PDB file of all heavy atoms in Angstrom:
ATOM      1  N   PHE A   1     161.655 -46.876 -24.643  1.00 90.00           N
ATOM      2  CA  PHE A   1     160.977 -46.033 -25.632  1.00 90.00           C
ATOM      3  C   PHE A   1     160.006 -46.868 -26.466  1.00 90.00           C
ATOM      4  O   PHE A   1     158.869 -46.454 -26.715  1.00 90.00           O
ATOM      5  CB  PHE A   1     161.997 -45.325 -26.526  1.00 90.00           C
ATOM      6  CG  PHE A   1     161.369 -44.355 -27.485  1.00 90.00           C
ATOM      7  CD1 PHE A   1     160.836 -43.159 -27.031  1.00 90.00           C
ATOM      8  CD2 PHE A   1     161.309 -44.643 -28.829  1.00 90.00           C
ATOM      9  CE1 PHE A   1     160.237 -42.260 -27.914  1.00 90.00           C
ATOM     10  CE2 PHE A   1     160.723 -43.753 -29.718  1.00 90.00           C
ATOM     11  CZ  PHE A   1     160.190 -42.559 -29.261  1.00 90.00           C
ATOM     12  N   LEU A   2     160.429 -48.066 -26.888  1.00 88.00           N
ATOM     13  CA  LEU A   2     159.543 -48.936 -27.669  1.00 88.00           C
ATOM     14  C   LEU A   2     158.316 -49.338 -26.860  1.00 88.00           C
ATOM     15  O   LEU A   2     157.210 -49.418 -27.399  1.00 88.00           O
ATOM     16  CB  LEU A   2     160.295 -50.173 -28.158  1.00 88.00           C
ATOM     17  CG  LEU A   2     161.358 -49.928 -29.228  1.00 88.00           C
ATOM     18  CD1 LEU A   2     162.108 -51.212 -29.533  1.00 88.00           C
ATOM     19  CD2 LEU A   2     160.756 -49.327 -30.480  1.00 88.00           C
ATOM     20  N   GLU A   3     158.493 -49.575 -25.577  1.00 88.00           N
ATOM     21  CA  GLU A   3     157.351 -49.900 -24.720  1.00 88.00           C
ATOM     22  C   GLU A   3     156.377 -48.728 -24.663  1.00 88.00           C
ATOM     23  O   GLU A   3     155.164 -48.921 -24.689  1.00 88.00           O
ATOM     24  CB  GLU A   3     157.825 -50.280 -23.317  1.00 88.00           C
ATOM     25  CG  GLU A   3     158.474 -51.641 -23.257  1.00 88.00           C
ATOM     26  CD  GLU A   3     159.141 -51.932 -21.917  1.00 88.00           C
ATOM     27  OE1 GLU A   3     158.933 -51.161 -20.953  1.00 88.00           O
ATOM     28  OE2 GLU A   3     159.874 -52.924 -21.854  1.00 88.00           O
ATOM     29  N   SER A   4     156.903 -47.493 -24.601  1.00 85.00           N
ATOM     30  CA  SER A   4     156.016 -46.329 -24.565  1.00 85.00           C
ATOM     31  C   SER A   4     155.249 -46.181 -25.876  1.00 85.00           C
ATOM     32  O   SER A   4     154.099 -45.750 -25.882  1.00 85.00           O
ATOM     33  CB  SER A   4     156.797 -45.052 -24.237  1.00 85.00           C
ATOM     34  OG  SER A   4     157.596 -44.639 -25.317  1.00 85.00           O
ATOM     35  N   ILE A   5     155.852 -46.576 -26.992  1.00 82.00           N
ATOM     36  CA  ILE A   5     155.164 -46.550 -28.292  1.00 82.00           C
ATOM     37  C   ILE A   5     154.031 -47.570 -28.299  1.00 82.00           C
ATOM     38  O   ILE A   5     152.920 -47.288 -28.737  1.00 82.00           O
ATOM     39  CB  ILE A   5     156.146 -46.868 -29.442  1.00 82.00           C
ATOM     40  CG1 ILE A   5     157.246 -45.815 -29.548  1.00 82.00           C
ATOM     41  CG2 ILE A   5     155.414 -47.038 -30.771  1.00 82.00           C
ATOM     42  CD1 ILE A   5     156.781 -44.449 -29.927  1.00 82.00           C
ATOM     43  N   ARG A   6     154.318 -48.753 -27.798  1.00 82.00           N
ATOM     44  CA  ARG A   6     153.315 -49.821 -27.797  1.00 82.00           C
ATOM     45  C   ARG A   6     152.155 -49.535 -26.847  1.00 82.00           C
ATOM     46  O   ARG A   6     151.098 -50.149 -26.953  1.00 82.00           O
ATOM     47  CB  ARG A   6     153.986 -51.148 -27.471  1.00 82.00           C
ATOM     48  CG  ARG A   6     154.902 -51.614 -28.590  1.00 82.00           C
ATOM     49  CD  ARG A   6     155.556 -52.947 -28.291  1.00 82.00           C
ATOM     50  NE  ARG A   6     156.404 -53.329 -29.398  1.00 82.00           N
ATOM     51  CZ  ARG A   6     157.730 -53.430 -29.323  1.00 82.00           C
ATOM     52  NH1 ARG A   6     158.360 -53.210 -28.192  1.00 82.00           N
ATOM     53  NH2 ARG A   6     158.431 -53.779 -30.377  1.00 82.00           N
ATOM     54  N   GLU A   7     152.345 -48.615 -25.899  1.00 82.00           N
ATOM     55  CA  GLU A   7     151.292 -48.255 -24.945  1.00 82.00           C
ATOM     56  C   GLU A   7     150.406 -47.123 -25.450  1.00 82.00           C
ATOM     57  O   GLU A   7     149.488 -46.714 -24.758  1.00 82.00           O
ATOM     58  CB  GLU A   7     151.921 -47.844 -23.611  1.00 82.00           C
ATOM     59  CG  GLU A   7     152.604 -48.988 -22.889  1.00 82.00           C
ATOM     60  CD  GLU A   7     153.394 -48.536 -21.671  1.00 82.00           C
ATOM     61  OE1 GLU A   7     153.525 -47.306 -21.452  1.00 82.00           O
ATOM     62  OE2 GLU A   7     153.885 -49.402 -20.956  1.00 82.00           O
ATOM     63  N   MET A   8     150.666 -46.615 -26.636  1.00 79.00           N
ATOM     64  CA  MET A   8     149.873 -45.504 -27.163  1.00 79.00           C
ATOM     65  C   MET A   8     148.447 -45.968 -27.423  1.00 79.00           C
ATOM     66  O   MET A   8     148.192 -47.152 -27.562  1.00 79.00           O
ATOM     67  CB  MET A   8     150.519 -44.959 -28.432  1.00 79.00           C
ATOM     68  CG  MET A   8     151.804 -44.225 -28.134  1.00 79.00           C
ATOM     69  SD  MET A   8     152.485 -43.485 -29.615  1.00 79.00           S
ATOM     70  CE  MET A   8     153.892 -42.659 -28.928  1.00 79.00           C
ATOM     71  N   PRO A   9     147.522 -45.020 -27.499  1.00 78.00           N
ATOM     72  CA  PRO A   9     146.110 -45.364 -27.686  1.00 78.00           C
ATOM     73  C   PRO A   9     145.893 -46.288 -28.880  1.00 78.00           C
ATOM     74  O   PRO A   9     146.542 -46.136 -29.917  1.00 78.00           O
ATOM     75  CB  PRO A   9     145.442 -44.006 -27.921  1.00 78.00           C
ATOM     76  CG  PRO A   9     146.357 -43.015 -27.286  1.00 78.00           C
ATOM     77  CD  PRO A   9     147.747 -43.579 -27.432  1.00 78.00           C
ATOM     78  N   PRO A  10     144.981 -47.249 -28.725  1.00 77.00           N
ATOM     79  CA  PRO A  10     144.748 -48.235 -29.786  1.00 77.00           C
ATOM     80  C   PRO A  10     144.329 -47.635 -31.126  1.00 77.00           C
ATOM     81  O   PRO A  10     144.623 -48.196 -32.165  1.00 77.00           O
ATOM     82  CB  PRO A  10     143.645 -49.136 -29.236  1.00 77.00           C
ATOM     83  CG  PRO A  10     143.329 -48.670 -27.873  1.00 77.00           C
ATOM     84  CD  PRO A  10     144.147 -47.467 -27.557  1.00 77.00           C
ATOM     85  N   GLU A  11     143.663 -46.481 -31.102  1.00 75.00           N
ATOM     86  CA  GLU A  11     143.224 -45.893 -32.374  1.00 75.00           C
ATOM     87  C   GLU A  11     144.409 -45.449 -33.234  1.00 75.00           C
ATOM     88  O   GLU A  11     144.276 -45.277 -34.441  1.00 75.00           O
ATOM     89  CB  GLU A  11     142.247 -44.730 -32.158  1.00 75.00           C
ATOM     90  CG  GLU A  11     142.816 -43.530 -31.445  1.00 75.00           C
ATOM     91  CD  GLU A  11     142.717 -43.621 -29.921  1.00 75.00           C
ATOM     92  OE1 GLU A  11     142.339 -44.668 -29.388  1.00 75.00           O
ATOM     93  OE2 GLU A  11     143.051 -42.615 -29.272  1.00 75.00           O
ATOM     94  N   MET A  12     145.565 -45.258 -32.625  1.00 73.00           N
ATOM     95  CA  MET A  12     146.753 -44.896 -33.401  1.00 73.00           C
ATOM     96  C   MET A  12     147.379 -46.133 -34.046  1.00 73.00           C
ATOM     97  O   MET A  12     147.967 -46.044 -35.103  1.00 73.00           O
ATOM     98  CB  MET A  12     147.768 -44.178 -32.525  1.00 73.00           C
ATOM     99  CG  MET A  12     147.296 -42.822 -32.086  1.00 73.00           C
ATOM    100  SD  MET A  12     148.550 -41.973 -31.137  1.00 73.00           S
ATOM    101  CE  MET A  12     147.700 -40.491 -30.705  1.00 73.00           C
ATOM    102  N   GLN A  13     147.266 -47.269 -33.403  1.00 70.00           N
ATOM    103  CA  GLN A  13     147.716 -48.557 -33.903  1.00 70.00           C
ATOM    104  C   GLN A  13     149.080 -48.527 -34.604  1.00 70.00           C
ATOM    105  O   GLN A  13     149.216 -49.013 -35.729  1.00 70.00           O
ATOM    106  CB  GLN A  13     146.681 -49.155 -34.848  1.00 70.00           C
ATOM    107  CG  GLN A  13     145.340 -49.354 -34.209  1.00 70.00           C
ATOM    108  CD  GLN A  13     144.313 -49.879 -35.189  1.00 70.00           C
ATOM    109  OE1 GLN A  13     144.569 -50.059 -36.358  1.00 70.00           O
ATOM    110  NE2 GLN A  13     143.127 -50.114 -34.691  1.00 70.00           N
ATOM    111  N   PRO A  14     150.109 -47.971 -33.979  1.00 87.00           N
ATOM    112  CA  PRO A  14     151.420 -47.980 -34.638  1.00 87.00           C
ATOM    113  C   PRO A  14     152.052 -49.370 -34.576  1.00 87.00           C
ATOM    114  O   PRO A  14     151.881 -50.092 -33.609  1.00 87.00           O
ATOM    115  CB  PRO A  14     152.231 -46.978 -33.816  1.00 87.00           C
ATOM    116  CG  PRO A  14     151.642 -47.064 -32.448  1.00 87.00           C
ATOM    117  CD  PRO A  14     150.169 -47.320 -32.671  1.00 87.00           C
ATOM    118  N   GLN A  15     152.734 -49.743 -35.632  1.00 88.00           N
ATOM    119  CA  GLN A  15     153.473 -50.999 -35.676  1.00 88.00           C
ATOM    120  C   GLN A  15     154.952 -50.656 -35.868  1.00 88.00           C
ATOM    121  O   GLN A  15     155.312 -49.985 -36.843  1.00 88.00           O
ATOM    122  CB  GLN A  15     152.988 -51.877 -36.830  1.00 88.00           C
ATOM    123  CG  GLN A  15     151.548 -52.319 -36.698  1.00 88.00           C
ATOM    124  CD  GLN A  15     151.352 -53.245 -35.502  1.00 88.00           C
ATOM    125  OE1 GLN A  15     152.141 -54.143 -35.272  1.00 88.00           O
ATOM    126  NE2 GLN A  15     150.301 -53.001 -34.746  1.00 88.00           N
ATOM    127  N   VAL A  16     155.781 -51.094 -34.949  1.00 88.00           N
ATOM    128  CA  VAL A  16     157.219 -50.819 -35.038  1.00 88.00           C
ATOM    129  C   VAL A  16     157.824 -51.695 -36.130  1.00 88.00           C
ATOM    130  O   VAL A  16     157.578 -52.892 -36.196  1.00 88.00           O
ATOM    131  CB  VAL A  16     157.912 -51.088 -33.684  1.00 88.00           C
ATOM    132  CG1 VAL A  16     159.409 -50.865 -33.792  1.00 88.00           C
ATOM    133  CG2 VAL A  16     157.306 -50.211 -32.592  1.00 88.00           C
ATOM    134  N   VAL A  17     158.617 -51.087 -36.993  1.00 89.00           N
ATOM    135  CA  VAL A  17     159.335 -51.801 -38.053  1.00 89.00           C
ATOM    136  C   VAL A  17     160.784 -51.928 -37.567  1.00 89.00           C
ATOM    137  O   VAL A  17     161.651 -51.141 -37.925  1.00 89.00           O
ATOM    138  CB  VAL A  17     159.259 -51.045 -39.403  1.00 89.00           C
ATOM    139  CG1 VAL A  17     159.931 -51.842 -40.517  1.00 89.00           C
ATOM    140  CG2 VAL A  17     157.826 -50.716 -39.759  1.00 89.00           C
ATOM    141  N   GLU A  18     161.004 -52.911 -36.711  1.00 84.00           N
ATOM    142  CA  GLU A  18     162.291 -53.017 -36.022  1.00 84.00           C
ATOM    143  C   GLU A  18     163.469 -53.216 -36.969  1.00 84.00           C
ATOM    144  O   GLU A  18     164.566 -52.747 -36.687  1.00 84.00           O
ATOM    145  CB  GLU A  18     162.241 -54.117 -34.962  1.00 84.00           C
ATOM    146  CG  GLU A  18     161.312 -53.732 -33.835  1.00 84.00           C
ATOM    147  CD  GLU A  18     161.447 -54.619 -32.620  1.00 84.00           C
ATOM    148  OE1 GLU A  18     162.565 -55.046 -32.305  1.00 84.00           O
ATOM    149  OE2 GLU A  18     160.420 -54.877 -31.976  1.00 84.00           O
ATOM    150  N   GLU A  19     163.249 -53.886 -38.092  1.00 85.00           N
ATOM    151  CA  GLU A  19     164.372 -54.125 -39.002  1.00 85.00           C
ATOM    152  C   GLU A  19     164.875 -52.862 -39.690  1.00 85.00           C
ATOM    153  O   GLU A  19     165.953 -52.855 -40.261  1.00 85.00           O
ATOM    154  CB  GLU A  19     164.031 -55.205 -40.036  1.00 85.00           C
ATOM    155  CG  GLU A  19     162.867 -54.882 -40.950  1.00 85.00           C
ATOM    156  CD  GLU A  19     161.507 -55.272 -40.378  1.00 85.00           C
ATOM    157  OE1 GLU A  19     161.428 -55.704 -39.212  1.00 85.00           O
ATOM    158  OE2 GLU A  19     160.514 -55.120 -41.092  1.00 85.00           O
ATOM    159  N   ARG A  20     164.100 -51.773 -39.622  1.00 88.00           N
ATOM    160  CA  ARG A  20     164.527 -50.501 -40.247  1.00 88.00           C
ATOM    161  C   ARG A  20     165.213 -49.554 -39.273  1.00 88.00           C
ATOM    162  O   ARG A  20     165.717 -48.519 -39.687  1.00 88.00           O
ATOM    163  CB  ARG A  20     163.317 -49.762 -40.819  1.00 88.00           C
ATOM    164  CG  ARG A  20     162.779 -50.162 -42.144  1.00 88.00           C
ATOM    165  CD  ARG A  20     163.536 -49.735 -43.383  1.00 88.00           C
ATOM    166  NE  ARG A  20     164.082 -48.416 -43.528  1.00 88.00           N
ATOM    167  CZ  ARG A  20     163.583 -47.446 -44.268  1.00 88.00           C
ATOM    168  NH1 ARG A  20     162.456 -47.615 -44.912  1.00 88.00           N
ATOM    169  NH2 ARG A  20     164.205 -46.293 -44.394  1.00 88.00           N
ATOM    170  N   MET A  21     165.200 -49.848 -37.978  1.00 87.00           N
ATOM    171  CA  MET A  21     165.798 -48.919 -37.018  1.00 87.00           C
ATOM    172  C   MET A  21     167.234 -48.603 -37.421  1.00 87.00           C
ATOM    173  O   MET A  21     167.970 -49.484 -37.857  1.00 87.00           O
ATOM    174  CB  MET A  21     165.768 -49.491 -35.605  1.00 87.00           C
ATOM    175  CG  MET A  21     164.404 -49.395 -34.975  1.00 87.00           C
ATOM    176  SD  MET A  21     164.406 -49.778 -33.221  1.00 87.00           S
ATOM    177  CE  MET A  21     164.703 -51.519 -33.251  1.00 87.00           C
ATOM    178  N   SER A  22     167.600 -47.324 -37.271  1.00 87.00           N
ATOM    179  CA  SER A  22     168.949 -46.912 -37.655  1.00 87.00           C
ATOM    180  C   SER A  22     169.344 -45.670 -36.869  1.00 87.00           C
ATOM    181  O   SER A  22     168.536 -45.094 -36.149  1.00 87.00           O
ATOM    182  CB  SER A  22     169.011 -46.638 -39.157  1.00 87.00           C
ATOM    183  OG  SER A  22     168.133 -45.595 -39.504  1.00 87.00           O
ATOM    184  N   ARG A  23     170.587 -45.278 -37.035  1.00 87.00           N
ATOM    185  CA  ARG A  23     171.064 -44.039 -36.415  1.00 87.00           C
ATOM    186  C   ARG A  23     170.912 -42.898 -37.408  1.00 87.00           C
ATOM    187  O   ARG A  23     171.197 -43.048 -38.590  1.00 87.00           O
ATOM    188  CB  ARG A  23     172.532 -44.160 -36.032  1.00 87.00           C
ATOM    189  CG  ARG A  23     172.753 -44.920 -34.777  1.00 87.00           C
ATOM    190  CD  ARG A  23     174.041 -44.448 -34.117  1.00 87.00           C
ATOM    191  NE  ARG A  23     174.368 -45.331 -33.021  1.00 87.00           N
ATOM    192  CZ  ARG A  23     174.007 -45.118 -31.772  1.00 87.00           C
ATOM    193  NH1 ARG A  23     173.316 -44.049 -31.457  1.00 87.00           N
ATOM    194  NH2 ARG A  23     174.340 -45.958 -30.825  1.00 87.00           N
ATOM    195  N   GLY A  24     170.480 -41.747 -36.888  1.00 85.00           N
ATOM    196  CA  GLY A  24     170.393 -40.558 -37.712  1.00 85.00           C
ATOM    197  C   GLY A  24     171.744 -39.870 -37.785  1.00 85.00           C
ATOM    198  O   GLY A  24     172.715 -40.283 -37.150  1.00 85.00           O
ATOM    199  N   MET A  25     171.811 -38.819 -38.569  1.00 84.00           N
ATOM    200  CA  MET A  25     173.058 -38.060 -38.727  1.00 84.00           C
ATOM    201  C   MET A  25     173.541 -37.481 -37.399  1.00 84.00           C
ATOM    202  O   MET A  25     174.728 -37.318 -37.190  1.00 84.00           O
ATOM    203  CB  MET A  25     172.871 -36.931 -39.748  1.00 84.00           C
ATOM    204  CG  MET A  25     172.535 -37.438 -41.150  1.00 84.00           C
ATOM    205  SD  MET A  25     173.888 -38.304 -41.933  1.00 84.00           S
ATOM    206  CE  MET A  25     174.986 -36.944 -42.245  1.00 84.00           C
ATOM    207  N   ASP A  26     172.611 -37.184 -36.491  1.00 85.00           N
ATOM    208  CA  ASP A  26     172.971 -36.596 -35.201  1.00 85.00           C
ATOM    209  C   ASP A  26     173.334 -37.654 -34.160  1.00 85.00           C
ATOM    210  O   ASP A  26     173.615 -37.329 -33.011  1.00 85.00           O
ATOM    211  CB  ASP A  26     171.832 -35.720 -34.678  1.00 85.00           C
ATOM    212  CG  ASP A  26     170.564 -36.506 -34.372  1.00 85.00           C
ATOM    213  OD1 ASP A  26     170.515 -37.725 -34.659  1.00 85.00           O
ATOM    214  OD2 ASP A  26     169.614 -35.903 -33.855  1.00 85.00           O
ATOM    215  N   GLY A  27     173.297 -38.931 -34.560  1.00 86.00           N
ATOM    216  CA  GLY A  27     173.620 -40.006 -33.625  1.00 86.00           C
ATOM    217  C   GLY A  27     172.418 -40.563 -32.896  1.00 86.00           C
ATOM    218  O   GLY A  27     172.530 -41.568 -32.201  1.00 86.00           O
ATOM    219  N   GLY A  28     171.269 -39.906 -33.033  1.00 90.00           N
ATOM    220  CA  GLY A  28     170.052 -40.403 -32.402  1.00 90.00           C
ATOM    221  C   GLY A  28     169.538 -41.646 -33.112  1.00 90.00           C
ATOM    222  O   GLY A  28     169.964 -41.968 -34.224  1.00 90.00           O
ATOM    223  N   ILE A  29     168.642 -42.342 -32.473  1.00 92.00           N
ATOM    224  CA  ILE A  29     168.085 -43.573 -33.023  1.00 92.00           C
ATOM    225  C   ILE A  29     166.742 -43.263 -33.677  1.00 92.00           C
ATOM    226  O   ILE A  29     165.863 -42.680 -33.047  1.00 92.00           O
ATOM    227  CB  ILE A  29     167.926 -44.630 -31.923  1.00 92.00           C
ATOM    228  CG1 ILE A  29     169.298 -44.959 -31.335  1.00 92.00           C
ATOM    229  CG2 ILE A  29     167.245 -45.880 -32.463  1.00 92.00           C
ATOM    230  CD1 ILE A  29     169.254 -45.779 -30.075  1.00 92.00           C
ATOM    231  N   ILE A  30     166.610 -43.643 -34.945  1.00 92.00           N
ATOM    232  CA  ILE A  30     165.359 -43.450 -35.673  1.00 92.00           C
ATOM    233  C   ILE A  30     164.551 -44.732 -35.556  1.00 92.00           C
ATOM    234  O   ILE A  30     165.026 -45.816 -35.900  1.00 92.00           O
ATOM    235  CB  ILE A  30     165.599 -43.114 -37.151  1.00 92.00           C
ATOM    236  CG1 ILE A  30     166.458 -41.849 -37.270  1.00 92.00           C
ATOM    237  CG2 ILE A  30     164.260 -42.926 -37.875  1.00 92.00           C
ATOM    238  CD1 ILE A  30     166.876 -41.530 -38.694  1.00 92.00           C
ATOM    239  N   VAL A  31     163.323 -44.599 -35.038  1.00 93.00           N
ATOM    240  CA  VAL A  31     162.409 -45.723 -34.881  1.00 93.00           C
ATOM    241  C   VAL A  31     161.344 -45.596 -35.967  1.00 93.00           C
ATOM    242  O   VAL A  31     160.642 -44.592 -36.036  1.00 93.00           O
ATOM    243  CB  VAL A  31     161.771 -45.721 -33.473  1.00 93.00           C
ATOM    244  CG1 VAL A  31     160.761 -46.843 -33.340  1.00 93.00           C
ATOM    245  CG2 VAL A  31     162.844 -45.822 -32.396  1.00 93.00           C
ATOM    246  N   PHE A  32     161.255 -46.609 -36.822  1.00 93.00           N
ATOM    247  CA  PHE A  32     160.318 -46.599 -37.944  1.00 93.00           C
ATOM    248  C   PHE A  32     159.016 -47.281 -37.545  1.00 93.00           C
ATOM    249  O   PHE A  32     159.037 -48.334 -36.896  1.00 93.00           O
ATOM    250  CB  PHE A  32     160.938 -47.312 -39.145  1.00 93.00           C
ATOM    251  CG  PHE A  32     162.077 -46.544 -39.763  1.00 93.00           C
ATOM    252  CD1 PHE A  32     163.349 -46.615 -39.222  1.00 93.00           C
ATOM    253  CD2 PHE A  32     161.868 -45.745 -40.868  1.00 93.00           C
ATOM    254  CE1 PHE A  32     164.401 -45.902 -39.782  1.00 93.00           C
ATOM    255  CE2 PHE A  32     162.910 -45.019 -41.427  1.00 93.00           C
ATOM    256  CZ  PHE A  32     164.180 -45.106 -40.884  1.00 93.00           C
ATOM    257  N   LEU A  33     157.894 -46.659 -37.937  1.00 92.00           N
ATOM    258  CA  LEU A  33     156.558 -47.181 -37.637  1.00 92.00           C
ATOM    259  C   LEU A  33     155.713 -47.199 -38.893  1.00 92.00           C
ATOM    260  O   LEU A  33     155.898 -46.367 -39.778  1.00 92.00           O
ATOM    261  CB  LEU A  33     155.832 -46.276 -36.635  1.00 92.00           C
ATOM    262  CG  LEU A  33     156.410 -46.026 -35.278  1.00 92.00           C
ATOM    263  CD1 LEU A  33     155.549 -45.013 -34.544  1.00 92.00           C
ATOM    264  CD2 LEU A  33     156.498 -47.309 -34.489  1.00 92.00           C
ATOM    265  N   THR A  34     154.764 -48.122 -38.930  1.00 93.00           N
ATOM    266  CA  THR A  34     153.689 -48.030 -39.914  1.00 93.00           C
ATOM    267  C   THR A  34     152.421 -47.674 -39.146  1.00 93.00           C
ATOM    268  O   THR A  34     152.226 -48.113 -38.016  1.00 93.00           O
ATOM    269  CB  THR A  34     153.475 -49.345 -40.694  1.00 93.00           C
ATOM    270  OG1 THR A  34     153.206 -50.388 -39.776  1.00 93.00           O
ATOM    271  CG2 THR A  34     154.677 -49.691 -41.538  1.00 93.00           C
ATOM    272  N   VAL A  35     151.611 -46.826 -39.763  1.00 92.00           N
ATOM    273  CA  VAL A  35     150.374 -46.372 -39.139  1.00 92.00           C
ATOM    274  C   VAL A  35     149.220 -46.579 -40.114  1.00 92.00           C
ATOM    275  O   VAL A  35     149.423 -46.634 -41.330  1.00 92.00           O
ATOM    276  CB  VAL A  35     150.456 -44.885 -38.709  1.00 92.00           C
ATOM    277  CG1 VAL A  35     151.504 -44.688 -37.637  1.00 92.00           C
ATOM    278  CG2 VAL A  35     150.739 -43.975 -39.887  1.00 92.00           C
ATOM    279  N   GLN A  36     148.018 -46.684 -39.571  1.00 89.00           N
ATOM    280  CA  GLN A  36     146.818 -46.823 -40.393  1.00 89.00           C
ATOM    281  C   GLN A  36     146.504 -45.488 -41.059  1.00 89.00           C
ATOM    282  O   GLN A  36     146.864 -44.429 -40.554  1.00 89.00           O
ATOM    283  CB  GLN A  36     145.638 -47.269 -39.529  1.00 89.00           C
ATOM    284  CG  GLN A  36     145.844 -48.618 -38.876  1.00 89.00           C
ATOM    285  CD  GLN A  36     146.014 -49.732 -39.886  1.00 89.00           C
ATOM    286  OE1 GLN A  36     145.287 -49.823 -40.871  1.00 89.00           O
ATOM    287  NE2 GLN A  36     147.000 -50.589 -39.658  1.00 89.00           N
ATOM    288  N   GLY A  37     145.843 -45.537 -42.195  1.00 90.00           N
ATOM    289  CA  GLY A  37     145.415 -44.317 -42.876  1.00 90.00           C
ATOM    290  C   GLY A  37     146.211 -44.039 -44.131  1.00 90.00           C
ATOM    291  O   GLY A  37     147.046 -44.837 -44.559  1.00 90.00           O
TER     292      GLY A  37
END
C-alpha cells in the first residue's frame, strides 16, 4: 500500500509520516500523509 502511495502522480507529492501510523477503531491501519497546499 505504501508503494502505491509513493507511485501517485508527482503533482500530489504526498509524504508518508510513518511515525504516526496507527490502528483505527475498526482495526484498520491509518496511514498519515502530508500534502502540499
Side-chain angles (χ1 to χ4, degrees):
F1 185 72
L2 291 175
E3 287 171 11
S4 72
I5 297 295
R6 291 181 180 114
E7 293 172 353
M8 289 184 177
E11 64 272 8
M12 292 183 183
Q13 301 177 357
Q15 296 294 316
V16 177
V17 184
E18 292 193 36
E19 61 273 6
R20 279 284 317 256
M21 283 191 289
S22 61
R23 281 207 189 267
M25 297 292 289
D26 64 354
I29 299 169
I30 302 173
V31 177
F32 290 82
L33 300 175
T34 57
V35 296
Q36 298 298 316

